[in-house]
Amino acid sequence: DQQVKQNSPSLSVQEGRISILNCDYTNSMFDYFLWYKKYPAEGPTFLISISSIKDKNEDGRFTVFLNKSAKHLSLHIVPSQPGDSAVYFCAASARYGGSQGNLIFGKGTKLSVKP
Amino acid sequence: NAGVMQNPRHLVRRRGQEARLRCSPMKGHSHVYWYRQLPEEGLKFMVYLQKENIIDESGMPKERFSAEFPKEGPSILRIQQVVRGDSAAYFCASSPVGTANTDTQYFGPGTRLTVL
């Protein structure tokens, strides 16, 4: 049973436009969410996170939105650049729900930004 | 480079052999996590350790897999009597302690295990 779902395996965007990556979760105990970027043959690189007490967090070109009632979060990248082409993973944890902080990952969305 | 270090980057074993994967956390980090990624899948949590303690091993297979994080030296993930299904990328992550960022895990480059 997948607790974190990224329903789009891939996304293609033109350079300079906005990329929107989506993530849904089922466990209401999740209270911390993270986005990681991963290039082939490398480890995931932390991008941005959001606590469940917020609905938005922004860091440069990256903004994460959290809709707790819908159990949905999204990552916006604007403007998109060719170097953003990678696989993006959504992850969640239940810090106070007994998971001891381990992360539950989605399967990832492969973003391609075309020049 | 003060990042999470993993070695070896690539490891080839024959069925029945042992695999040892090493992870050195970022400087100042005392929490280590191991994850496994199968092809076309997301990362799956295996085990969470602090120095000399296993905190959560709920993701570890019941047999053949073990992990440790000794007082001195790197964390070790050990797989005994490997089978083809163990072929995967194994990632280690670390996080700091006592700061507001205790929940952000920083990942190493991974060890790609191939079992022939």
Side-chain angles (χ1 to χ4, degrees):
Chain A
D1 179 31
Q2 262 194 290
Q3 298 185 68
V4 177
K5 298 178 183 178
Q6 294 178 257
N7 292 319
S8 298
S10 62
L11 175 67
S12 184
V13 171
Q14 204 69 31
E15 180 180 6
R17 306 295 289 267
I18 184 171
S19 295
I20 300 177
L21 296 100
N22 293 303
C23 179
D24 298 293
Y25 62 95
T26 57
N27 189 342
S28 57
M29 297 297 290
F30 288 149
D31 56 9
Y32 194 69
F33 304 89
L34 308 90
W35 285 94
Y36 287 85
K37 178 169 80 170
K38 186 180 181 302
Y39 294 117
E42 294 185 12
T45 301
F46 170 72
L47 275 177
I48 193 169
S49 62
I50 188 167
S51 165
S52 59
I53 63 173
K54 295 185 175 182
D55 54 19
K56 177 183 175 181
N57 190 23
E58 191 172 353
D59 184 1
R61 295 185 299 113
F62 302 92
T63 303
V64 56
F65 295 93
L66 176 62
N67 183 334
K68 288 189 292 294
S69 61
K71 293 192 177 65
H72 176 83
L73 65 155
S74 60
L75 174 68
H76 292 210
I77 307 172
V78 56
S80 301
Q81 300 172 354
D84 296 329
S85 297
V87 177
Y88 288 78
F89 289 99
C90 170
S93 73
R95 291 175 297 177
Y96 305 109
S99 74
Q100 303 285 356
N102 70 69
L103 298 177
I104 309 298
F105 281 84
K107 290 191 175 184
T109 296
K110 184 176 182 179
L111 174 65
S112 298
V113 180
K114 300 187 184 305
Chain B
N1 187 344
V4 178
M5 307 289 288
Q6 288 188 251
N7 68 81
R9 293 293 306 274
H10 300 275
L11 182 61
V12 179
R13 286 286 177 266
R14 296 191 180 280
R15 281 180 295 170
Q17 292 184 319
E18 178 179 283
R20 285 195 182 198
L21 289 65
R22 296 174 190 79
C23 169
S24 296
M26 286 178 70
K27 188 175 181 180
H29 288 193
S30 60
H31 300 245
V32 166
Y33 306 79
W34 285 94
Y35 293 82
R36 176 166 65 176
Q37 184 184 25
L38 297 171
E40 309 302 324
E41 296 285 327
L43 283 72
K44 302 287 188 192
F45 167 76
M46 298 181 75
V47 62
Y48 164 32
L49 309 105
Q50 294 179 17
K51 286 282 188 182
E52 300 183 280
N53 281 307
I54 296 175
I55 307 302
D56 181 0
E57 57 182 347
S58 59
M60 288 278 270
K62 294 286 186 279
E63 297 176 348
R64 303 187 297 108
F65 285 72
S66 63
E68 62 177 4
F69 189 15
K71 187 177 180 180
E72 300 291 338
S75 175
I76 306 286
L77 179 67
R78 183 182 293 111
I79 311 172
Q80 296 178 303
Q81 300 176 326
V82 295
V83 301
R84 289 219 173 103
D86 297 333
S87 295
Y90 292 81
F91 293 98
C92 169
S94 72
S95 67
V97 63
T99 74
N101 293 324
T102 55
D103 302 290
T104 298
Q105 297 176 22
Y106 298 89
F107 283 81
T111 294
R112 275 137 194 93
L113 172 65
T114 301
V115 179
L116 302 177

